[in-house]
PDB file of all heavy atoms in Angstrom:
ATOM      1  N   TYR A 200       8.007   2.687  11.726  1.00  0.00           N
ATOM      2  CA  TYR A 200       7.155   3.464  12.640  1.00  0.00           C
ATOM      3  C   TYR A 200       6.897   2.606  13.869  1.00  0.00           C
ATOM      4  O   TYR A 200       6.113   1.654  13.818  1.00  0.00           O
ATOM      5  CB  TYR A 200       5.842   3.834  11.924  1.00  0.00           C
ATOM      6  CG  TYR A 200       4.981   4.813  12.689  1.00  0.00           C
ATOM      7  CD1 TYR A 200       5.417   6.106  12.934  1.00  0.00           C
ATOM      8  CD2 TYR A 200       3.721   4.442  13.139  1.00  0.00           C
ATOM      9  CE1 TYR A 200       4.627   7.012  13.618  1.00  0.00           C
ATOM     10  CE2 TYR A 200       2.918   5.344  13.835  1.00  0.00           C
ATOM     11  CZ  TYR A 200       3.378   6.625  14.072  1.00  0.00           C
ATOM     12  OH  TYR A 200       2.594   7.522  14.753  1.00  0.00           O
ATOM     13  N   TYR A 201       7.600   2.888  14.916  1.00  0.00           N
ATOM     14  CA  TYR A 201       7.465   2.191  16.210  1.00  0.00           C
ATOM     15  C   TYR A 201       7.765   0.697  16.150  1.00  0.00           C
ATOM     16  O   TYR A 201       7.274  -0.062  16.983  1.00  0.00           O
ATOM     17  CB  TYR A 201       6.076   2.431  16.820  1.00  0.00           C
ATOM     18  CG  TYR A 201       5.928   3.848  17.332  1.00  0.00           C
ATOM     19  CD1 TYR A 201       5.071   4.730  16.710  1.00  0.00           C
ATOM     20  CD2 TYR A 201       6.674   4.286  18.419  1.00  0.00           C
ATOM     21  CE1 TYR A 201       4.954   6.040  17.162  1.00  0.00           C
ATOM     22  CE2 TYR A 201       6.562   5.582  18.873  1.00  0.00           C
ATOM     23  CZ  TYR A 201       5.697   6.452  18.247  1.00  0.00           C
ATOM     24  OH  TYR A 201       5.590   7.750  18.701  1.00  0.00           O
ATOM     25  N   GLY A 202       8.546   0.257  15.172  1.00  0.00           N
ATOM     26  CA  GLY A 202       9.077  -1.110  15.182  1.00  0.00           C
ATOM     27  C   GLY A 202       8.043  -2.215  15.071  1.00  0.00           C
ATOM     28  O   GLY A 202       8.126  -3.222  15.790  1.00  0.00           O
ATOM     29  N   TRP A 203       7.075  -2.070  14.156  1.00  0.00           N
ATOM     30  CA  TRP A 203       6.116  -3.155  13.914  1.00  0.00           C
ATOM     31  C   TRP A 203       6.668  -4.098  12.844  1.00  0.00           C
ATOM     32  O   TRP A 203       7.807  -3.986  12.431  1.00  0.00           O
ATOM     33  CB  TRP A 203       4.771  -2.550  13.471  1.00  0.00           C
ATOM     34  CG  TRP A 203       3.990  -1.931  14.590  1.00  0.00           C
ATOM     35  CD1 TRP A 203       4.263  -0.766  15.224  1.00  0.00           C
ATOM     36  CD2 TRP A 203       2.812  -2.470  15.214  1.00  0.00           C
ATOM     37  NE1 TRP A 203       3.325  -0.530  16.202  1.00  0.00           N
ATOM     38  CE2 TRP A 203       2.421  -1.553  16.217  1.00  0.00           C
ATOM     39  CE3 TRP A 203       2.036  -3.610  15.016  1.00  0.00           C
ATOM     40  CZ2 TRP A 203       1.296  -1.761  17.022  1.00  0.00           C
ATOM     41  CZ3 TRP A 203       0.917  -3.812  15.803  1.00  0.00           C
ATOM     42  CH2 TRP A 203       0.560  -2.914  16.799  1.00  0.00           C
ATOM     43  N   GLY A 204       5.823  -5.024  12.414  1.00  0.00           N
ATOM     44  CA  GLY A 204       6.254  -5.971  11.380  1.00  0.00           C
ATOM     45  C   GLY A 204       6.512  -5.255  10.053  1.00  0.00           C
ATOM     46  O   GLY A 204       5.919  -4.209   9.787  1.00  0.00           O
ATOM     47  N   PHE A 205       7.377  -5.835   9.246  1.00  0.00           N
ATOM     48  CA  PHE A 205       7.667  -5.345   7.887  1.00  0.00           C
ATOM     49  C   PHE A 205       8.020  -3.855   7.852  1.00  0.00           C
ATOM     50  O   PHE A 205       7.763  -3.181   6.870  1.00  0.00           O
ATOM     51  CB  PHE A 205       6.478  -5.625   6.942  1.00  0.00           C
ATOM     52  CG  PHE A 205       6.156  -7.081   6.784  1.00  0.00           C
ATOM     53  CD1 PHE A 205       5.009  -7.633   7.351  1.00  0.00           C
ATOM     54  CD2 PHE A 205       7.007  -7.913   6.068  1.00  0.00           C
ATOM     55  CE1 PHE A 205       4.710  -8.989   7.205  1.00  0.00           C
ATOM     56  CE2 PHE A 205       6.720  -9.262   5.912  1.00  0.00           C
ATOM     57  CZ  PHE A 205       5.560  -9.800   6.483  1.00  0.00           C
ATOM     58  N   ASN A 206       8.572  -3.336   8.963  1.00  0.00           N
ATOM     59  CA  ASN A 206       9.080  -1.957   8.994  1.00  0.00           C
ATOM     60  C   ASN A 206      10.497  -1.938   8.406  1.00  0.00           C
ATOM     61  O   ASN A 206      11.300  -2.827   8.709  1.00  0.00           O
ATOM     62  CB  ASN A 206       9.205  -1.454  10.443  1.00  0.00           C
ATOM     63  CG  ASN A 206       7.936  -0.829  11.010  1.00  0.00           C
ATOM     64  OD1 ASN A 206       7.980  -0.208  12.059  1.00  0.00           O
ATOM     65  ND2 ASN A 206       6.816  -0.985  10.346  1.00  0.00           N
ATOM     66  N   LEU A 207      10.805  -0.925   7.620  1.00  0.00           N
ATOM     67  CA  LEU A 207      12.175  -0.729   7.127  1.00  0.00           C
ATOM     68  C   LEU A 207      12.491   0.762   7.132  1.00  0.00           C
ATOM     69  O   LEU A 207      11.572   1.588   6.979  1.00  0.00           O
ATOM     70  CB  LEU A 207      12.314  -1.251   5.689  1.00  0.00           C
ATOM     71  CG  LEU A 207      12.473  -2.762   5.502  1.00  0.00           C
ATOM     72  CD1 LEU A 207      12.492  -3.098   4.012  1.00  0.00           C
ATOM     73  CD2 LEU A 207      13.733  -3.291   6.178  1.00  0.00           C
ATOM     74  N   PRO A 208      13.784   1.107   7.256  1.00  0.00           N
ATOM     75  CA  PRO A 208      14.124   2.531   7.187  1.00  0.00           C
ATOM     76  C   PRO A 208      13.813   3.097   5.802  1.00  0.00           C
ATOM     77  O   PRO A 208      13.897   2.386   4.800  1.00  0.00           O
ATOM     78  CB  PRO A 208      15.636   2.571   7.440  1.00  0.00           C
ATOM     79  CG  PRO A 208      16.026   1.198   7.834  1.00  0.00           C
ATOM     80  CD  PRO A 208      14.941   0.250   7.479  1.00  0.00           C
ATOM     81  N   ARG A 209      13.448   4.367   5.758  1.00  0.00           N
ATOM     82  CA  ARG A 209      13.256   5.045   4.466  1.00  0.00           C
ATOM     83  C   ARG A 209      14.581   5.064   3.710  1.00  0.00           C
ATOM     84  O   ARG A 209      15.650   5.055   4.320  1.00  0.00           O
ATOM     85  CB  ARG A 209      12.788   6.486   4.696  1.00  0.00           C
ATOM     86  CG  ARG A 209      11.390   6.577   5.279  1.00  0.00           C
ATOM     87  CD  ARG A 209      10.982   8.027   5.522  1.00  0.00           C
ATOM     88  NE  ARG A 209       9.682   8.075   6.172  1.00  0.00           N
ATOM     89  CZ  ARG A 209       8.517   8.084   5.528  1.00  0.00           C
ATOM     90  NH1 ARG A 209       8.501   8.052   4.207  1.00  0.00           N
ATOM     91  NH2 ARG A 209       7.375   8.126   6.182  1.00  0.00           N
ATOM     92  N   GLY A 210      14.511   5.093   2.402  1.00  0.00           N
ATOM     93  CA  GLY A 210      15.730   5.169   1.597  1.00  0.00           C
ATOM     94  C   GLY A 210      16.023   3.843   0.922  1.00  0.00           C
ATOM     95  O   GLY A 210      15.112   3.161   0.428  1.00  0.00           O
ATOM     96  N   GLN A 211      17.305   3.454   0.933  1.00  0.00           N
ATOM     97  CA  GLN A 211      17.749   2.299   0.136  1.00  0.00           C
ATOM     98  C   GLN A 211      17.051   0.996   0.530  1.00  0.00           C
ATOM     99  O   GLN A 211      16.725   0.172  -0.333  1.00  0.00           O
ATOM    100  CB  GLN A 211      19.268   2.144   0.253  1.00  0.00           C
ATOM    101  CG  GLN A 211      19.860   1.162  -0.755  1.00  0.00           C
ATOM    102  CD  GLN A 211      19.679   1.627  -2.200  1.00  0.00           C
ATOM    103  OE1 GLN A 211      20.029   2.755  -2.553  1.00  0.00           O
ATOM    104  NE2 GLN A 211      19.104   0.770  -3.045  1.00  0.00           N
ATOM    105  N   ALA A 212      16.825   0.800   1.853  1.00  0.00           N
ATOM    106  CA  ALA A 212      16.232  -0.484   2.299  1.00  0.00           C
ATOM    107  C   ALA A 212      14.850  -0.684   1.669  1.00  0.00           C
ATOM    108  O   ALA A 212      14.531  -1.783   1.174  1.00  0.00           O
ATOM    109  CB  ALA A 212      16.135  -0.509   3.820  1.00  0.00           C
ATOM    110  N   LEU A 213      14.041   0.373   1.660  1.00  0.00           N
ATOM    111  CA  LEU A 213      12.717   0.245   1.030  1.00  0.00           C
ATOM    112  C   LEU A 213      12.842   0.184  -0.487  1.00  0.00           C
ATOM    113  O   LEU A 213      12.145  -0.612  -1.149  1.00  0.00           O
ATOM    114  CB  LEU A 213      11.794   1.387   1.460  1.00  0.00           C
ATOM    115  CG  LEU A 213      11.110   1.149   2.813  1.00  0.00           C
ATOM    116  CD1 LEU A 213      10.458   2.426   3.320  1.00  0.00           C
ATOM    117  CD2 LEU A 213      10.067   0.030   2.737  1.00  0.00           C
ATOM    118  N   LEU A 214      13.754   0.999  -1.040  1.00  0.00           N
ATOM    119  CA  LEU A 214      13.916   0.974  -2.499  1.00  0.00           C
ATOM    120  C   LEU A 214      14.310  -0.427  -2.977  1.00  0.00           C
ATOM    121  O   LEU A 214      13.844  -0.887  -4.028  1.00  0.00           O
ATOM    122  CB  LEU A 214      14.958   2.013  -2.940  1.00  0.00           C
ATOM    123  CG  LEU A 214      15.202   2.102  -4.443  1.00  0.00           C
ATOM    124  CD1 LEU A 214      13.919   2.403  -5.215  1.00  0.00           C
ATOM    125  CD2 LEU A 214      16.266   3.146  -4.761  1.00  0.00           C
ATOM    126  N   ASP A 215      15.140  -1.126  -2.190  1.00  0.00           N
ATOM    127  CA  ASP A 215      15.522  -2.499  -2.566  1.00  0.00           C
ATOM    128  C   ASP A 215      14.279  -3.383  -2.711  1.00  0.00           C
ATOM    129  O   ASP A 215      14.227  -4.258  -3.567  1.00  0.00           O
ATOM    130  CB  ASP A 215      16.452  -3.115  -1.518  1.00  0.00           C
ATOM    131  CG  ASP A 215      17.857  -2.521  -1.581  1.00  0.00           C
ATOM    132  OD1 ASP A 215      18.183  -1.848  -2.581  1.00  0.00           O
ATOM    133  OD2 ASP A 215      18.620  -2.718  -0.601  1.00  0.00           O
ATOM    134  N   LYS A 216      13.286  -3.173  -1.857  1.00  0.00           N
ATOM    135  CA  LYS A 216      12.029  -3.949  -1.969  1.00  0.00           C
ATOM    136  C   LYS A 216      11.246  -3.527  -3.210  1.00  0.00           C
ATOM    137  O   LYS A 216      10.748  -4.360  -3.962  1.00  0.00           O
ATOM    138  CB  LYS A 216      11.152  -3.762  -0.715  1.00  0.00           C
ATOM    139  CG  LYS A 216      11.791  -4.272   0.555  1.00  0.00           C
ATOM    140  CD  LYS A 216      11.992  -5.770   0.510  1.00  0.00           C
ATOM    141  CE  LYS A 216      12.666  -6.278   1.772  1.00  0.00           C
ATOM    142  NZ  LYS A 216      13.065  -7.699   1.690  1.00  0.00           N
ATOM    143  N   TRP A 217      11.131  -2.189  -3.410  1.00  0.00           N
ATOM    144  CA  TRP A 217      10.348  -1.716  -4.571  1.00  0.00           C
ATOM    145  C   TRP A 217      11.026  -2.097  -5.882  1.00  0.00           C
ATOM    146  O   TRP A 217      10.361  -2.264  -6.900  1.00  0.00           O
ATOM    147  CB  TRP A 217      10.115  -0.205  -4.509  1.00  0.00           C
ATOM    148  CG  TRP A 217       9.638   0.360  -3.201  1.00  0.00           C
ATOM    149  CD1 TRP A 217      10.052   1.521  -2.626  1.00  0.00           C
ATOM    150  CD2 TRP A 217       8.639  -0.184  -2.309  1.00  0.00           C
ATOM    151  NE1 TRP A 217       9.387   1.731  -1.430  1.00  0.00           N
ATOM    152  CE2 TRP A 217       8.523   0.700  -1.215  1.00  0.00           C
ATOM    153  CE3 TRP A 217       7.842  -1.336  -2.306  1.00  0.00           C
ATOM    154  CZ2 TRP A 217       7.648   0.488  -0.135  1.00  0.00           C
ATOM    155  CZ3 TRP A 217       6.976  -1.571  -1.246  1.00  0.00           C
ATOM    156  CH2 TRP A 217       6.887  -0.670  -0.183  1.00  0.00           C
ATOM    157  N   ASN A 218      12.375  -2.245  -5.853  1.00  0.00           N
ATOM    158  CA  ASN A 218      13.075  -2.628  -7.086  1.00  0.00           C
ATOM    159  C   ASN A 218      12.718  -4.039  -7.540  1.00  0.00           C
ATOM    160  O   ASN A 218      12.999  -4.422  -8.673  1.00  0.00           O
ATOM    161  CB  ASN A 218      14.594  -2.512  -6.897  1.00  0.00           C
ATOM    162  CG  ASN A 218      15.064  -1.068  -7.051  1.00  0.00           C
ATOM    163  OD1 ASN A 218      14.337  -0.235  -7.603  1.00  0.00           O
ATOM    164  ND2 ASN A 218      16.250  -0.769  -6.562  1.00  0.00           N
ATOM    165  N   GLN A 219      12.084  -4.812  -6.651  1.00  0.00           N
ATOM    166  CA  GLN A 219      11.670  -6.172  -7.043  1.00  0.00           C
ATOM    167  C   GLN A 219      10.347  -6.161  -7.835  1.00  0.00           C
ATOM    168  O   GLN A 219       9.930  -7.178  -8.362  1.00  0.00           O
ATOM    169  CB  GLN A 219      11.488  -7.040  -5.796  1.00  0.00           C
ATOM    170  CG  GLN A 219      12.790  -7.285  -5.038  1.00  0.00           C
ATOM    171  CD  GLN A 219      12.534  -8.052  -3.743  1.00  0.00           C
ATOM    172  OE1 GLN A 219      11.683  -8.933  -3.678  1.00  0.00           O
ATOM    173  NE2 GLN A 219      13.274  -7.718  -2.710  1.00  0.00           N
ATOM    174  N   ILE A 220       9.668  -5.011  -7.871  1.00  0.00           N
ATOM    175  CA  ILE A 220       8.385  -4.942  -8.595  1.00  0.00           C
ATOM    176  C   ILE A 220       8.674  -4.974 -10.099  1.00  0.00           C
ATOM    177  O   ILE A 220       9.422  -4.128 -10.600  1.00  0.00           O
ATOM    178  CB  ILE A 220       7.621  -3.636  -8.247  1.00  0.00           C
ATOM    179  CG1 ILE A 220       7.434  -3.496  -6.734  1.00  0.00           C
ATOM    180  CG2 ILE A 220       6.276  -3.592  -8.978  1.00  0.00           C
ATOM    181  CD1 ILE A 220       6.956  -2.107  -6.290  1.00  0.00           C
ATOM    182  N   PRO A 221       8.101  -5.925 -10.825  1.00  0.00           N
ATOM    183  CA  PRO A 221       8.377  -5.972 -12.275  1.00  0.00           C
ATOM    184  C   PRO A 221       7.838  -4.743 -12.997  1.00  0.00           C
ATOM    185  O   PRO A 221       6.792  -4.202 -12.625  1.00  0.00           O
ATOM    186  CB  PRO A 221       7.636  -7.238 -12.743  1.00  0.00           C
ATOM    187  CG  PRO A 221       7.345  -8.017 -11.513  1.00  0.00           C
ATOM    188  CD  PRO A 221       7.246  -7.037 -10.380  1.00  0.00           C
ATOM    189  N   ASP A 222       8.556  -4.319 -14.057  1.00  0.00           N
ATOM    190  CA  ASP A 222       8.179  -3.144 -14.847  1.00  0.00           C
ATOM    191  C   ASP A 222       6.735  -3.188 -15.341  1.00  0.00           C
ATOM    192  O   ASP A 222       6.048  -2.194 -15.334  1.00  0.00           O
ATOM    193  CB  ASP A 222       9.058  -3.064 -16.110  1.00  0.00           C
ATOM    194  CG  ASP A 222      10.369  -2.360 -15.842  1.00  0.00           C
ATOM    195  OD1 ASP A 222      10.572  -1.877 -14.715  1.00  0.00           O
ATOM    196  OD2 ASP A 222      11.188  -2.304 -16.785  1.00  0.00           O
ATOM    197  N   ASN A 223       6.325  -4.357 -15.815  1.00  0.00           N
ATOM    198  CA  ASN A 223       5.012  -4.403 -16.488  1.00  0.00           C
ATOM    199  C   ASN A 223       3.873  -4.842 -15.560  1.00  0.00           C
ATOM    200  O   ASN A 223       2.915  -5.466 -16.001  1.00  0.00           O
ATOM    201  CB  ASN A 223       5.082  -5.298 -17.725  1.00  0.00           C
ATOM    202  CG  ASN A 223       5.806  -6.586 -17.400  1.00  0.00           C
ATOM    203  OD1 ASN A 223       6.136  -6.830 -16.244  1.00  0.00           O
ATOM    204  ND2 ASN A 223       6.043  -7.402 -18.405  1.00  0.00           N
ATOM    205  N   THR A 224       3.990  -4.468 -14.294  1.00  0.00           N
ATOM    206  CA  THR A 224       2.910  -4.758 -13.341  1.00  0.00           C
ATOM    207  C   THR A 224       1.680  -3.912 -13.688  1.00  0.00           C
ATOM    208  O   THR A 224       1.793  -2.707 -13.909  1.00  0.00           O
ATOM    209  CB  THR A 224       3.398  -4.416 -11.912  1.00  0.00           C
ATOM    210  OG1 THR A 224       4.504  -5.268 -11.609  1.00  0.00           O
ATOM    211  CG2 THR A 224       2.314  -4.597 -10.873  1.00  0.00           C
TER     212      THR A 224
END
Side-chain angles (χ1 to χ4, degrees):
Y200 189 65
Y201 288 112
W203 285 73
F205 299 108
N206 273 192
L207 281 176
R209 292 179 184 272
Q211 192 64 52
L213 277 168
L214 181 57
D215 287 346
K216 297 296 179 189
W217 313 139
N218 279 343
Q219 294 175 37
I220 305 168
D222 275 356
N223 45 6
T224 297

